[in-house]
Structures are given as structure tokens and as C-alpha cells.
Amino acid sequence: MLEKMVGVRESMETPGSQTSLHRANLERVVRAVRMAGSLTQAEIARSTGLSAATVSNIVRELKDGGTVEVTPTSAGGRRARSVSLSGDAGIVIGVDFGHTHLRVAVGNLAHQVLAEESEPMDVDASAAEGFGRAERLVKRLIETTGISPDKVIGVGLGVPGPIDVESGTLGSTSILPGWTGINPSEELAGRLGVPVYVDNDANLGALGELVWGSGRGVKDLAYIKVASGVGAGLVIDGHIYRGPGGTAGEIGHITLDESGPVCRCGNRGCLETFTAARYVLPLLQPSHGPDLTMERVVQLARGGDPGCRRVIGDVGRHIGSGVANLCNLLNPSRVVLGGSLAEAGELVLAPIRDSVSRYAIPSAARQLSVLPGALGGRAEVLGALALVLSEMGDSTLLESARSTATPVFT
Ligand SMILES: [Zn+2]
């Protein structure tokens, strides 16, 4: 209904007229603040390209309409005004299905996380059971915030596998056998009655670190996650790059050794066959026992265990080869390592940097920094919140501003 009203009004506005220009400027300001959390007016001017006077007028209009809140702050020792979306303008939900857990977060549009909880779950068991539990946890967490469910603007949903862009279904049978052919977005939207935006875990990790973590302030970023597979979430010029088939970032299947082990993709010697747990743990099991996990290997390496250090270092070296290829192709300014491997710190990061300097062309690697993720296991669920913030559009927010404020033409 709202979309329709906006459509009708927009069709009455002539492109290039004062009104449509004003509307476009409002949207630019709201979008900048929506993704950044809070910005000073000078920062809004810089990121939107609007003049200081225009930004000042627009912020006043949005504040009068209740869309944004303005609080005094200081920037570079000078007094400034910090602008964020109004905390009670709406709430967003993040749901992250991992291989062994379900995590849900509730946040507001000012980037504050109001409630968050995770519970163990065997995601391979059944999709219906997974969605049932997600629905119950979402409803319970909204209740704990005391905010009305009507305020929910949308849900971001993370799944541990590639989504087919055209059908919106999970296509990979080898990763989530119980979920093949399921449309996760429709399934959860049907249960919760709000729009649901879905993406894979690597892309959401990238978004989470970009908005809340180690990627803040950069526009070109690769988030590398080593878990049961190896994937990368790619942010190019501030936007997630998915590719037409939704499979961009599959660096786990870069060939490192043509005569290496056979990978689940059917090729040989993929990066994944030198870095994923099921290939790495067997190297240590004869000397360290059969019950080893990657988390334990990282822990032992940090404690000085030479075998675990060697293995983590080799994993870093191989990831670095993949990252070097990525640098030559995309020239990101930052690579963020996520997942539990990041807890190995310099034990894994230094070998990654070594390989990058060895294999990437110098100009592609010169501005690169390789950092551990700042969000740990929360990266994906916070990325799911960021996905809603990035996809929600501004119509809902601007309706209230229009209805209550006197337009200031700029
Ligand atoms: Zn492969």
C-alpha cells in the first residue's frame, strides 16, 4: 500500500523539478545515515556531495518529522552535531543459521543492538524445524525489548550456503541436504509477516564487519571465512558483489595444486583442500589424538604447540595465495579474516601477509591491510541487521517526515 502511494506521488513529480530534487536529496541523506549509524553534518556533506547549507536544512526537516535524532558531539576538537536515525523509527531483525547454531539479534535504526541470543542447532536436520525455532526466538526477543512487533521493518536472514539469485532457493545439495529447494526468504516471511532479505554467511560477515567491525571506513573489502568450506564476501565500492548467479567469492575453489587432493567440487587441489578442517585435522590426528577440532588447534597453537603452529602457519600461507589472486583481480583495501581461525591472530595473519607480498603484484597489495574480524561469531547476525538497513529503502522513513514537516526546498 505504501509502495503504491509513493509510486502515485512520484509519478506526479516531474523529474528535475524542485520537488523531485528535494526528495532525492532527502533520500541521499537518509541512506548515508542509515548505513553509517551516525554521522556529523560535515560527514554527511562529504559522503553525499551536498552543500553544508543543504544538509543543514534537510537534517532540520528530518528531525522535525521524527526521522532522525541530532545530538551534540565533537569532531576534531570542535563542536559538531551527530545525526542518527531515530531509535524508535523502527526495528530490524537479524537471523543467522550456522551449521551448529541459530543466532538472532534485534536492533534499531540507530545501529543499537537491543537484544541478541544464540542457541545450538543442527541445521542439517530439517528446514521446517529450523524455521520454527527461528520464528519462536524472534518473537521472544522482540517481546523482551518491549517494542511493538508492528515496528519491525524487515528481517535479514543468513544461510550457510549459496542462494540461487533467480529462484531464491538453496541449490547446493552437498552443504545443506535437508534444505535443498527451500526458499528461505518466503518461508520465514510467511511465518513472520514482514519482508525477509536473505544472503549467505560470507556476504553477511562482510557486511557486519563493514558496518560494525574491522571494515569500518573502507569501501573495498574482502571478508574471508574458513569453516567447513572457505568463502569470501566481497564488498566493492560499498556494495556486496554477488554476481549474476550469486556465487561470487568462492575462493575456496581456486586451484593451488593440479595434482592435489580431490575436492567436493570435483576439481583437484582447491584452496579448500589445504585449509578446511576436514583436510587439516587429519594431519594432526596421528600425533594429537582423534578428538581434535579447529578451535582446539588454534588454542594449542596459541599455547606454543609446535605441530599446531606449523599447521596454522601453512593454512595461512595457502589462504594468502588465494588472497593474492583476489588482490590482483579486485585490489581491495582491506582483507578481514573471520571465523574461529581469526583467533590465531598473528600466527595465521603473518603467513597470509607473507604470501600476499610474494604472489600479488606490488601495486595491488600496497594499500592492503589484513586484519582479524572484530565481531567473532556475531559477524553474520550483525551483517543480517545491516542487510535490512541496506535493502529497506527510504519510503517508510520519509513518509512520516513528509506528513509532519514543512518542506524546505533546497
Ligand atoms: Zn573445489
Side-chain angles (χ1 to χ4, degrees):
M1 187 61 201
L2 190 58
E3 289 300 320
K4 225 172 171 177
M5 285 164 53
V6 171
V8 168
R9 197 192 54 243
E10 278 179 351
S11 67
M12 286 156 53
E13 291 170 359
T14 321
S17 71
Q18 284 284 53
T19 319
S20 66
L21 181 64
H22 178 67
R23 170 83 183 188
N25 288 347
L26 278 173
E27 286 180 357
R28 279 159 89 174
V29 170
V30 169
R31 194 172 308 126
V33 175
R34 186 150 56 82
M35 292 315 290
S38 68
L39 289 174
T40 64
Q41 292 196 174
E43 287 168 334
I44 295 174
R46 262 201 303 281
S47 83
T48 58
L50 297 172
S51 73
T54 301
V55 169
S56 177
N57 284 337
I58 286 180
V59 166
R60 192 183 324 128
E61 181 183 343
L62 290 170
K63 180 172 174 279
D64 291 347
T67 306
V68 302
E69 284 165 4
V70 180
T71 46
T73 181
S74 66
R78 297 172 59 186
R79 286 201 300 172
R81 285 147 57 84
S82 167
V83 182
S84 60
L85 291 184
S86 168
D88 55 13
I91 54 173
V92 290
I93 312 284
V95 175
D96 169 39
F97 284 112
H99 270 283
T100 54
H101 71 265
L102 163 69
R103 193 187 284 262
V104 173
V106 179
N108 65 18
L109 302 185
H111 289 206
Q112 289 161 328
V113 178
L114 306 171
E116 186 177 346
E117 211 171 293
S118 102
E119 48 185 59
M121 192 181 78
D122 179 8
V123 78
D124 296 326
S126 132
E129 192 197 327
F131 285 112
R133 287 178 63 176
E135 180 188 356
R136 286 192 294 278
L137 187 52
V138 165
K139 288 180 172 166
R140 188 160 60 73
L141 280 189
I142 294 174
E143 217 176 291
T144 63
T145 65
I147 297 172
S148 160
D150 307 346
K151 288 277 188 183
V152 177
I153 286 172
V155 176
L157 172 62
V159 289
I163 296 282
D164 182 279
V165 170
E166 269 173 30
S167 65
T169 57
L170 274 160
S172 173
T173 50
S174 62
I175 300 175
L176 290 168
W179 292 52
T180 308
I182 300 262
N183 183 315
S185 158
E186 275 177 10
E187 185 70 32
L188 198 59
R191 289 167 182 266
L192 295 172
V194 290
V196 175
Y197 309 94
V198 66
D199 213 330
N200 69 52
D201 53 351
N203 286 349
L204 291 186
L207 262 181
E209 293 287 350
L210 183 76
V211 172
W212 273 281
S214 297
R216 286 195 70 154
V218 300
K219 286 191 151 182
D220 299 278
L221 162 94
Y223 173 83
I224 314 280
K225 185 168 180 193
V226 184
S228 49
V230 184
L234 304 175
V235 175
I236 298 175
D237 201 19
H239 298 280
I240 288 282
Y241 180 74
R242 298 179 174 89
T247 57
E250 288 288 345
I251 64 160
H253 302 283
I254 288 176
T255 305
L256 293 191
D257 179 0
E258 278 186 7
S259 46
V262 175
C263 180
R264 62 190 164 116
C265 74
N267 292 330
R268 292 188 68 170
C270 294
L271 172 59
E272 189 171 303
T273 67
F274 293 95
T275 52
R278 66 180 169 284
Y279 295 96
V280 170
L281 294 178
L283 301 172
L284 286 163
Q285 276 157 346
S287 54
H288 289 69
D291 301 327
L292 219 50
T293 60
M294 275 315 277
E295 285 78 8
R296 180 71 184 141
V297 172
V298 168
Q299 211 177 29
L300 289 169
R302 286 169 58 119
D305 181 285
C308 293
R309 284 194 169 211
R310 171 63 199 250
V311 163
I312 294 283
D314 287 350
V315 165
R317 219 159 35 81
H318 289 123
I319 293 173
S321 303
V323 170
N325 284 320
L326 208 66
C327 286
N328 290 344
L329 285 175
L330 297 175
N331 187 203
S333 47
R334 195 160 296 171
V335 165
V336 176
L337 182 66
S340 55
L341 190 60
E343 280 161 36
E346 286 304 305
L347 294 174
V348 68
L349 297 172
I352 292 179
R353 292 188 197 107
D354 272 358
S355 282
V356 171
S357 63
R358 185 181 289 229
Y359 301 118
I361 53 172
S363 57
R366 197 166 292 133
Q367 288 107 359
L368 179 76
S369 52
V370 180
L371 299 177
L375 304 174
R378 302 173 70 211
E380 290 79 11
V381 80
L382 294 183
L385 293 180
L387 181 66
V388 186
L389 291 168
S390 117
E391 303 285 327
M392 62 185 262
D394 298 310
S395 308
T396 319
L397 293 169
L398 291 176
E399 263 337 285
S400 61
R402 272 184 97 87
S403 59
T404 51
T406 319
V408 181
F409 291 101
T410 51

